[in-house]
Amino acid sequence: MSREEILSRLRSEYMGRSLYYYEETDSTNLRIRQLADEGACEGTLAVSDKQSAGRGRRGRGWISPPGMNIYMSLLLKPDIDPTDAPMITIIMAQAVCDAIPGSCIKWPNDIVINGRKVCGILTEMVLDGDQIRDVTVGVGINVNQSDRELFPQEIRETATSLRLECGHDVDRAELVARIMEMFEKLYEQFIQDRNLGFLRARYEERLAGIGSEVRVLDPQGEYTGISRGISDRGELLVETPDGEVHRVYAGEVSVRGLYGYT
Ligand code: BTN
């Protein structure tokens, strides 16, 4: 993968067109943070072959060996309410899922294949008073990793790569380009509509665990219910046995299937 390879495959209008490629960096989310501070435009994309300090959600790390995976971060400057920003993660999950045949979405941040995680998304927002200054959407995809041992012991059972699941290598540059193209279309529609009504049916087709029991790990109390899909704001709809449908807002809680990781 190289800058030229990505650019030659790109069919988007502006997502990824301002492209920064690194052989190694600490974290592409941090690179975008710095580029944003220097005045970079919306759609600026940072891609690295290796990260020395890859970041995951909840303060965790993201193992980022060279030569096999995708580590990328996209800069956005949406003129939306900060409370609407989690919907951007939903859109990126859809774009990644669309670009990877056979994958599903584990609401709200993960893409899974055969029940194992192949991609994680880390969305970070900077505010200016009560307005969004910018949003960084970081995407890590395990692509051509052929050795399960490279995953740390604690995620060896739940993590996977495209190579491990599909049995063949995938062109990383093409995958980056496809995701940019798909994300751009969805993002444009979202900015116009300011909600995800347009995406719901499509999203629910790929939503892992829909119609099954999930456990919602809400800090105010855990509960179990049936996953019924998402609202037009991207909240997970969970129906409890009393018939009430709870709207689970991304960020506050974590959701688990009752059987296995998804
Ligand atoms: C998760 O915890 O599931 C989110 C992982 C996000 C990892 C990506 S890799 C590219 C970008 N840079 C980072 O440091 N993190 C994100």
Side-chain angles (χ1 to χ4, degrees):
M1 180 167 61
S2 65
R3 182 169 188 274
E4 290 64 39
E5 275 186 80
I6 297 171
L7 285 175
S8 71
R9 289 158 173 76
L10 213 53
R11 290 172 295 254
S12 55
E13 250 172 61
Y14 63 99
M15 293 294 176
R17 292 257 162 222
S18 166
L19 178 63
Y20 291 78
Y21 184 83
Y22 308 89
E23 288 299 332
E24 176 175 350
T25 191
D26 44 4
S27 153
T28 53
N29 269 33
L30 293 176
R31 293 283 66 71
I32 283 296
R33 179 72 271 116
Q34 189 183 0
L35 288 162
D37 290 343
E38 291 164 7
C41 62
E42 179 160 72
T44 297
L45 181 69
V47 181
S48 187
D49 186 54
K50 173 184 179 195
Q51 294 183 122
S52 54
R55 294 154 64 184
R57 289 186 306 126
R58 300 173 200 277
R60 288 188 287 243
W62 186 259
I63 304 293
S64 310
M68 56 187 82
N69 295 330
I70 292 173
Y71 318 111
M72 65 177 180
S73 302
L74 184 64
L75 176 62
L76 301 172
K77 302 186 174 196
D79 182 15
I80 56 171
D81 195 88
T83 57
D84 289 344
M87 288 191 262
I88 293 173
T89 303
I90 301 281
I91 294 172
M92 183 55 88
Q94 181 76 53
V96 173
C97 192
D98 283 351
I100 302 177
S103 66
C104 298
I105 303 167
K106 179 179 179 291
W107 180 92
N109 298 279
D110 298 347
I111 303 301
V112 298
I113 301 183
N114 298 328
R116 289 179 156 149
K117 176 165 169 173
V118 75
C119 163
I121 301 171
L122 175 66
T123 303
E124 298 180 297
M125 166 169 70
V126 173
L127 295 179
D128 222 344
D130 55 4
Q131 307 245 0
I132 293 181
R133 185 190 295 174
D134 52 60
V135 175
T136 302
V137 191
V139 181
I141 311 175
N142 302 327
V143 184
N144 294 323
Q145 187 171 327
S146 57
D147 186 359
R148 214 170 266 292
E149 304 284 305
L150 281 175
F151 293 121
Q153 184 69 48
E154 59 279 15
I155 60 167
R156 214 163 278 166
E157 289 308 309
T158 54
T160 194
S161 72
L162 298 184
R163 165 84 228 221
L164 285 166
E165 295 308 313
C166 313
H168 57 83
D169 273 0
V170 170
D171 181 336
R172 286 185 288 163
E174 174 67 21
L175 188 51
V176 170
R178 300 269 338 259
I179 293 168
M180 286 302 108
E181 190 186 342
M182 293 185 172
F183 179 81
E184 182 174 277
K185 288 194 189 118
L186 298 174
Y187 180 73
E188 287 288 297
Q189 186 74 51
F190 164 63
I191 292 300
Q192 218 175 68
D193 298 2
R194 309 215 160 217
N195 70 66
L196 298 178
F198 75 96
L199 192 70
R200 268 179 84 173
R202 183 165 159 189
Y203 186 93
E204 289 173 357
E205 273 177 28
R206 307 291 288 273
L207 177 59
I210 189 166
S212 310
E213 253 184 342
V214 291
R215 179 178 294 281
V216 180
L217 310 177
D218 189 323
Q220 320 217 304
E222 291 184 24
Y223 58 92
T224 299
I226 306 288
S227 162
R228 293 292 183 210
I230 58 164
S231 72
D232 61 10
R233 292 185 43 78
E235 300 139 323
L236 189 70
L237 302 173
V238 178
E239 186 179 350
T240 43
D242 57 8
E244 197 185 330
V245 177
H246 299 249
R247 291 163 171 264
V248 184
Y249 191 71
E252 287 166 9
V253 298
S254 150
V255 177
R256 296 263 179 286
L258 285 188
Y259 310 102
Y261 156 75
T262 50

